[in-house]
Each structure stands twice: as C-alpha cells, then as structure tokens.
Amino acid sequence: MKSVPFFPPALFERDREAALAFLWEMGTGAAQEFTCGEAVSALEADICRETGARHAIACASGSTALTLALDALGVRPGDEVIVPAFGCQPIAGAVAGRGAVPVFADIDQRTLVIDPAAAAAAVTAATVAIMPVHVFSVMADMPEVTALAHRHGLKVVEDAAVAAGAALGGVPAGRWGDAGVLSFSPFKPLGTCGEGGMVLTGDDEIARKCRLLRGPGGTAGAGAELTGYSSGMDELPARFLMRRRTTLADRLKRKAEIAGRYSEALAPLAAAGLVRLPPADPAERTWCHVYALLTGSRDELREHLAARGVGTHVYYPVPLPAQAAFARYAGGRHFPHAETVGRANLALPTHPGVNDQDVAYVIDAVYEFFRAGRRARRERNLHRDL
Amino acid sequence: MRPTRFFDGRESFAAQWNDIARQVNRVFDHGTFSQGTLTAELEEAIKKYTGACFTIGVNSGTDALTLMLRAIGAGPGDEVVVPALACASSASAVCDVGATPVFADVAPGSYAIAPDAVRSRLTGRTRVIMPVHPFGRMADMATLRTIARDAGAVLVEDSRQAIGLRYAYTHAGLFGTAGALSFAPDKPLGALGDAAMVITGDETVADRCAVLRHHGRTGGEPGVSSPAVIIGINSKMDELQAAVLLARLPWLGGAIARRAELAARYTSLLAEITHVITPAAGAREDPADRVWHAYVIEAERRDALADRLSRSGIETRVPYPVPLHLQPAFRHLDGRSGDHPVAEATAGRMLALPLHSDLSLSDIERTCRAIRHFYRRNPA
C-alpha cells in the first residue's frame, strides 16, 4: 500500500554529509567554541539582514526565546499576559514559568489566531503584555493587536515560532512585536538538526538583556547582573541552519503549491458544507506551514486516511485553558472556538517530500471518505458550532 | 611557541572521530534529532556508569538544576541553601523556579559549602540544601545529609562538575534526592555543545523531570498533540550531542586518569612556590574523592599573574570572580560584604590553570616555569 507520512521520513538525509563535515570542522577548528560562537553570530547577522531586525539573539529553543523575551520585557510574577486559548504549551508555559498569569482569549473561528476583540475584553489593570501567535498558515492580525497594545500600553511578544519566512504587509514575521520569537526545532519551516530559537527585537535594551539572560546573566569579571538561563544556541545547529536557510523559500513555495492543490480539489466538499478549508485570505497574512482542514467527522476521517496509508496530525485537541497544567488560569471559562477547532482540525501532509501523485492520492482518499455520505448529520452539528 | 589554551580538545576529537562519526550516522539513520533513541541509550549508559536508577537527559546543566528543583516542588516562598562561592547558575536556577537562594560560606581549601555555615542559615522556610562539588571535589555529603534530615530539608546536588566522582561507592549526585551532571564541552565527558542529565534514585522525581523537560506533556497518542499535565519547559537533549557523548563515554576513564596525572604534575612543580596554594588533596584517603574537572590554585596578586601568563600565551580563567551574595543579580537578597568571609577572601585569589586531556606535561612545565618566573620578578 502507498504511504504518505505526515512528517517527512529521513529528515535531513540530504544534509547528513554536510553535518558530518561541520562537526569535523568544529572539533578540529582552532576556535574550540561550541555554543554562541562564530556560526551563531553569523546566523544572527543573516537573519537580521533578511528580516530587517535590528537585533537577533539565538538561544536553545523557541520556548527559551519566549522566556528570554518575557523576562527582558519586564514581565514579573503576578503580571497578566494575554495569550490565545488555542496553540502549543510554551505560549502559556513560558508566561506561567515566570510566575506571571496567562490570561486566555478565544481565537477567531475562521483564521484560528487570537481574536482581537476577545483579547481586548481580557485586558485588566494587571495586563502588561499580549502574545499573538501565528497559527498553522495564518499570521495573527498584527495591525489590530498592535493597535490594541498601544491603546492599553501593553508590550507585544510576537510568537512567530512556525512563521519563519512569512510576512504581513511587507513586515516579516517576528518583526511586529516589541520582541518576536522564532523556533528552529526540526519540523518547523526553518528546522535544524536539534533545538534552537531566536528573539528578534528593534530595542537595544531588550536585546542587551536577552544576551545577558541567554548566558549566565553577566559578563566575565563583574558577576551576574541578571539571573540568566545559560541557554545559548549551539554552534552545530547554527551552522546547519545557515545551510538550510538557502532552501527555505523553495520549501515554502512547494508547501504553498501543495496547499493550493488541496484547496482547489477539496473546494466542492467545502461548498457542500462537509469540510472547512484553511482560509486563503487575507492573502497578505497567509503562507503555508500546516494545512489543516476542519470537519465534524475528524476522528473517522483520520482513521480512514490512516487505513489508506495517509499520515495526518491533530493539533491541540485540548485547548490550553482546558489542560490540567493551565486550568487554574482559566477560571472555569469556556473558549468555544478553541474547543471546536480542537475537536475538528486535521492536518494533511505538506512536507516538500510529498509529490504530486501523493497529493492526488490524499485527495482521492478524502473524497472516498465523504462519498460514503454518512457524515451529513455530524457536519450539521459542526457547522452549528462554528 | 605554541600557546597553551585553557581548553583545546582537537587531538582527542580527531582520535575519537571514527566513533563519533559512527554514532552521528545512526542519528541520521533514525531521523530524530532531539530526545530519541540515542538520548535513551545515553541515559541507560549513564545509569550503568553512575549506578543511578533513573537518568533524564536534558539540554543544559542549568536546566538540569531547574528541573530537579521543580520536580521536588521547590517554588515561591521556599529557601534553597547554596554555596556563596559558585557559578551564578547555582543561584539563578533557584530564582528561576521562584524560590529564594540563601547563601552559605564555603570551607577553606575544599571550596565546598561548609556544614556549619549551612546550619547557621537554616530557617523555617528552608526547603532545599543544594551543595556544589567544586571542581570535582566532593562536598561533605555525610554531614550535609544529617543536617538536611534534621532540618526536614531535601538534599539535592549541583554535581555538574562531578562526573566520575565517587565516595563510599556512591557517585556524586546520588547522596541526596537528585543530582545534575553537565556534559559541557570542557568537562571530562564533554559534548560539542550543551547537554546534561538529572540522575536520581527517586522514581517520582524522575517521572516529573521527564514530563517537565517536554512542556509538561505525558506521552499520548501518536499523531495527536498531547495536553500538558504540569507547567513544563522545553529541555530535550539534542540527539547529535547524545551521539558524541555515547562515542566518548568509553574514553572517560582515560580522560579522568590523564587529568589526574597532569594535576599531580602541577602540584609537584608548584609545591615550592610559597605565593601559590595548590588544591588540597582529598580530605579522605580515597583517591576517587577527587576528579579533576579543573585545576584551581590560590595565587597572590592573582590578576597580575593571570595577565603575565596571558602575555606568555597561557590562558587561565578566574572561576568565580565575585561571590554570589555580592553579585548585582542577587543583591536584592541583602547580601553584604563580610557575610561570607572565606568566599570573599578566596574569590580574589582563585585562578584556574589549563587542564584537559590534550595538554602535555611540557605545557604544564612551561606554565609552572612562568608562574615561578612571575614571583621571582615580583617577590612581594
């Protein structure tokens, strides 16, 4: 049977020899620096050049980057930070890890990013920051979020973990907030052979603090000025990223192509009310990382596709406020859009290793499922929710 | 003349290359790049090496401290007693979990936290005692264990500098509830980047650390993002670092022996220089009481000496320039000059000399000659 895995198998196989060569050069090189050395500086400089960011500070992971940004922006215990209810744990975990309070706001049901109106309603006297997150393939509504932040004097931490290479109105993802965060974990658009993350900022003082915080917190000789996290980025993943960066645009282009084919072919199912496709608009806010459709028969469709050898992924089935770790911050409130999307989303394979035949095969398998026609009642239920 | 670098692992690396390349190839064969098969293998290997029942690979030594403190439940309102002379992370990790570091003076010579000083710093809020094994020399664990038990405090070990260090058949990190091991590049078992491990005999602590290192998630169904049960962080070990460490583990015994040989050479050549205090030998007769993670002397006119050595192409490091209670990051804790006299007096005299496997005996001789020369030119 044909197999179309969701995550690329043999990830980085083409980069194996290069990684071995980098390792040899590092091990035998005169610098003998393995964390935050020349390669990390070069990567930071490259990303600054490409995004137009004034400062880039590379660190051990995207989660670490969120922590550095929040700490450098002065988020302290008891402060409230508004975060979306739908997304990955670090969004709330990095805030709670500082002793601050994540205050959840529901998402827009169509774009799946934080709903600016819900965010506005969550502002209190204790709110110090808002953390919009770009989700799947849509950037958060940064103009609206930024305007909201200005009205209330809030800092903006832009979680662009999945959005390397995306842009809104000509401004690259990661450049919108007071600080923006990128992640380089292996399956991100700009993934590396390990973990890595980065803070982008235009503010000299935030950058200076992030640099201290990613190290021991001070410069040699003077002792620590800040309580640092000793979480700099390693040289090897930085070298690896320098290489992978050159093919990012092509990979994103191929993913967008695959997404385009899915949307075109599945449009009749959407017109018949059987699925919701990812929004193609507003065009200036979309790119392609994850292609997730919404359906009331999600688990059955997933099972059907698995039986056909098609790998899929369910993102965030339990909204953050409903997870045991964060329930204490939700106060029992419900987030209907996050809950519905958690129940309904199913991501299809879009990695560049998926060829045109694979795409056609996945589309056929989806049609095969809906042709069975047993889904109508469930779909009506979903659409009532949505 | 060839400069003497503080750390330079090029020769060892080249000698180990076949082993390293073989393990790195396995990472690409598996196609997982963080916390996968090789990390699990390394965790097993370190269990065997240390005798720990549980090992949890993490991203860095500082993360290992943070995770172990979180796993035992240290948080806001709790006090954690740490040495006044240590690297800033020993106290930063405490702050990171929201607890309060309380500094205790160190013992002269061993530089490890002094049991009497610990006793004097206990309060009703003391939750944890976290000694460091400075430069690979064991703190007085027997006494500290008694103090912790009497105070109802949890004993955990900042054993980041202590791989290979055993006393009474127990590996450093396993005297208390949990310990942290660092595999930073300049350690006897060093990665080519950051990597570390929590070791423990406590299954609950082990389970919590394993959940905490990956966003607080517990397993779950493949292909579905799993929810978080506790607030965690992202601190997975890179598979490529695990590969390097697996390749290097069989060389660890040799690296430890080589460092001991080099250290003995330093000690015999520096013995006659009255301006220098060489590291005290182990307090007990057990030679394994000490593993040479660093060779640290106390030197008169330390900064001038370091400067002179630097001009001769010999790199040294000041391990702890400022005691923790006097560093700006911890000033809000009301530390004052004079609080911890041994730490304060020692911080200004300590100097770490180069010590790594690839150093030659003639490098050591040259360094000692330069030190002798400095004091001959500057007798007072």
Side-chain angles (χ1 to χ4, degrees):
Chain A
M1 190 181 62
K2 194 177 174 67
S3 160
V4 186
F6 181 77
F7 290 110
L11 182 68
F12 305 144
E13 183 51 45
R14 270 187 242 164
D15 306 296
R16 180 196 292 247
E17 291 310 316
L20 281 162
F22 291 158
L23 210 51
W24 172 259
E25 285 167 27
M26 276 171 50
T28 58
Q32 292 291 288
E33 261 184 318
F34 305 101
T35 301
C36 291
E38 276 172 29
V40 169
S41 301
L43 176 70
E44 289 171 342
D46 265 20
I47 296 214
C48 280
R49 216 168 13 248
E50 191 166 285
T51 60
R54 187 169 161 83
H55 303 282
I57 303 94
C59 60
S61 71
S63 308
T64 304
L66 285 177
T67 299
L68 298 185
L70 290 166
D71 197 334
L73 283 167
V75 174
R76 293 291 170 259
D79 290 345
E80 292 181 2
V81 179
I82 297 170
V83 302
F86 182 76
C88 197
Q89 283 100 7
I91 298 165
V95 174
R98 296 287 79 245
V101 179
V103 175
F104 297 104
D106 207 353
I107 54 170
D108 179 279
Q109 58 168 323
R110 212 175 56 82
T111 56
L112 317 189
V113 295
I114 195 165
D115 174 1
V123 175
T124 74
T127 310
V128 298
I130 178 166
M131 191 193 288
V133 180
H134 309 319
V135 178
F136 293 165
S137 295
V138 181
M139 280 178 68
D141 189 344
M142 295 311 295
E144 275 296 316
V145 169
T146 310
L148 169 70
H150 282 165
R151 277 202 303 280
H152 296 279
L154 311 178
K155 301 288 186 191
V156 177
V157 178
E158 180 194 357
D159 183 338
V162 300
L168 197 175
V171 179
R175 285 252 347 261
W176 276 88
D178 293 289
V181 163
L182 299 176
S183 166
F184 306 125
S185 68
F187 293 111
K188 295 294 191 318
L190 186 53
T192 190
C193 57
E195 299 282 323
M198 190 175 272
V199 179
L200 303 182
T201 181
D203 185 302
D204 294 351
E205 181 59 9
I206 293 168
R208 188 187 76 84
K209 284 188 172 161
C210 284
R211 281 186 195 286
L212 288 179
L213 289 168
R214 77 164 167 191
T219 43
E225 174 189 332
L226 305 169
T227 54
Y229 298 91
S230 298
S231 290
M233 187 173 191
D234 285 345
E235 285 285 280
L236 180 61
R239 289 273 319 248
F240 200 80
L241 274 181
M242 296 285 283
R243 174 185 161 88
R244 296 255 307 156
R245 275 188 65 255
T246 58
T247 53
L248 173 64
D250 286 345
R251 286 198 308 277
L252 287 176
K253 198 171 141 216
R254 173 62 188 158
K255 283 184 129 188
E257 217 171 82
I258 295 170
R261 279 171 196 247
Y262 282 143
S263 284
E264 197 184 324
L266 301 176
L269 293 179
L274 294 170
V275 297
R276 272 290 187 92
L277 302 178
D281 66 290
E284 78 277 6
R285 272 166 60 194
T286 59
W287 81 109
C288 184
H289 171 51
V290 166
Y291 185 93
L293 39 83
L294 305 182
T295 160
S297 316
R298 191 265 310 280
D299 294 343
E300 294 89 337
L301 174 59
R302 174 173 160 72
E303 222 166 279
H304 172 86
L305 292 176
R308 297 292 179 278
V310 176
T312 56
H313 198 83
V314 172
Y315 283 93
Y316 326 129
V318 184
L320 293 168
Q323 297 185 15
F326 307 116
R328 80 186 82 157
Y329 303 111
R333 282 183 307 133
H334 281 277
F335 300 86
H337 296 151
E339 286 159 23
T340 306
V341 174
R343 278 197 301 275
N345 84 82
L346 189 68
L348 302 179
T350 54
H351 60 85
V354 174
N355 63 31
D356 293 353
Q357 287 81 3
D358 295 335
V359 173
Y361 181 82
V362 173
I363 291 165
D364 285 350
V366 172
Y367 266 98
E368 187 186 29
F369 174 79
F370 283 105
R371 229 175 268 131
R374 297 184 304 254
R375 324 291 168 196
R377 196 164 51 84
R378 279 209 187 79
E379 291 312 321
R380 273 198 300 279
N381 291 344
L382 166 72
H383 287 278
R384 201 181 51 215
D385 288 354
L386 288 173
Chain B
M1 192 179 294
R2 175 176 92 119
T4 302
R5 308 273 299 272
F6 188 76
F7 173 76
D8 187 345
R10 285 180 281 184
E11 279 176 36
S12 303
F13 176 87
Q16 296 160 345
W17 175 244
N18 286 341
D19 296 352
I20 292 173
R22 191 170 57 82
Q23 296 289 357
V24 166
N25 271 310
R26 292 183 59 225
V27 176
F28 281 86
D29 293 345
H30 286 289
T32 300
F33 290 85
S34 47
Q35 200 183 304
T37 309
L38 280 84
T39 301
E41 285 179 17
L42 182 69
E43 288 170 341
E44 284 305 310
I46 296 295
K47 272 186 209 169
K48 284 210 187 74
Y49 182 82
T50 60
C53 294
F54 307 99
T55 51
I56 303 95
V58 298
N59 176 64
S60 73
T62 305
D63 282 0
L65 295 181
T66 304
L67 289 181
M68 140 182 127
L69 287 168
R70 282 202 197 199
I72 60 169
D78 294 331
E79 293 182 352
V80 180
V81 183
V82 297
L85 194 64
C87 87
S89 307
S90 302
S92 298
V94 175
C95 297
D96 190 12
V97 305
T100 307
V102 170
F103 301 111
D105 206 357
V106 297
S110 82
Y111 315 127
I113 198 165
D116 284 344
V118 172
R119 268 191 210 98
S120 74
R121 301 292 281 158
L122 298 174
T123 74
R125 290 178 302 278
T126 306
R127 178 74 185 274
V128 183
I129 300 172
M130 185 164 75
V132 176
H133 305 304
F135 319 123
R137 189 176 191 284
M138 193 75 88
D140 184 352
M141 295 311 295
T143 310
L144 290 169
R145 194 147 57 175
T146 308
I147 293 174
R149 195 186 52 218
D150 293 349
V154 183
L155 182 64
V156 295
E157 289 165 76
D158 180 348
S159 42
R160 287 179 294 164
Q161 310 178 43
I163 191 149
L165 179 62
R166 289 182 184 84
Y167 175 66
Y169 307 105
T170 303
H171 194 280
L174 298 173
F175 287 90
T177 301
L181 294 179
S182 165
F183 305 123
D186 61 346
K187 300 286 191 291
L189 179 60
L192 294 168
D194 280 335
M197 208 168 267
V198 175
I199 61 176
T200 176
D202 184 318
E203 189 167 7
T204 309
V205 168
D207 288 348
R208 283 181 67 90
C209 284
V211 173
L212 284 166
R213 76 174 153 176
H214 191 198
H215 304 305
R217 292 178 197 161
T218 49
E221 191 188 337
V224 179
S225 303
S226 34
V229 288
I230 45 178
I231 296 161
I233 61 173
N234 179 10
S235 186
K236 302 190 279 288
M237 185 183 279
D238 282 358
E239 283 282 280
L240 289 170
Q241 301 302 349
V244 172
L245 293 166
L246 278 171
R248 285 183 159 174
L249 188 54
W251 303 70
L252 174 58
I256 288 173
R258 176 66 179 158
R259 284 173 183 239
E261 182 188 3
L262 296 168
R265 191 77 185 137
Y266 268 133
T267 299
S268 74
L269 289 174
L270 295 173
E272 67 196 70
I273 306 177
T274 54
H275 307 274
V276 162
I277 301 173
T278 57
R284 296 160 279 263
E285 296 300 306
D286 188 347
D289 193 23
R290 156 76 94 171
V291 168
W292 293 93
H293 280 241
Y295 191 89
V296 177
I297 59 171
E298 286 181 53
E300 287 175 20
R301 279 156 285 142
R302 190 259 324 267
D303 294 339
L305 171 65
D307 191 50
R308 180 73 196 83
L309 292 175
S310 165
R311 279 188 277 114
S312 310
I314 299 162
E315 273 178 18
T316 58
R317 278 191 201 159
V318 174
Y320 306 135
V322 184
L324 295 179
H325 64 291
L326 300 178
Q327 297 196 9
F330 309 112
R331 206 161 276 160
H332 63 285
L333 302 167
D334 281 339
R336 275 167 235 274
S337 201
D339 281 355
H340 306 293
V342 179
E344 288 167 34
T346 314
R349 292 200 298 259
M350 278 178 155
L351 189 67
L353 304 179
L355 185 75
H356 53 82
S357 296
D358 296 354
L359 215 57
S360 69
L361 288 173
S362 64
D363 290 327
I364 305 259
E365 283 151 17
R366 184 165 83 93
T367 300
C368 294
R369 255 198 320 276
I371 294 172
R372 200 178 306 126
H373 188 72
F374 171 80
Y375 287 112
R376 205 172 283 148
R377 291 291 249 351
N378 310 273

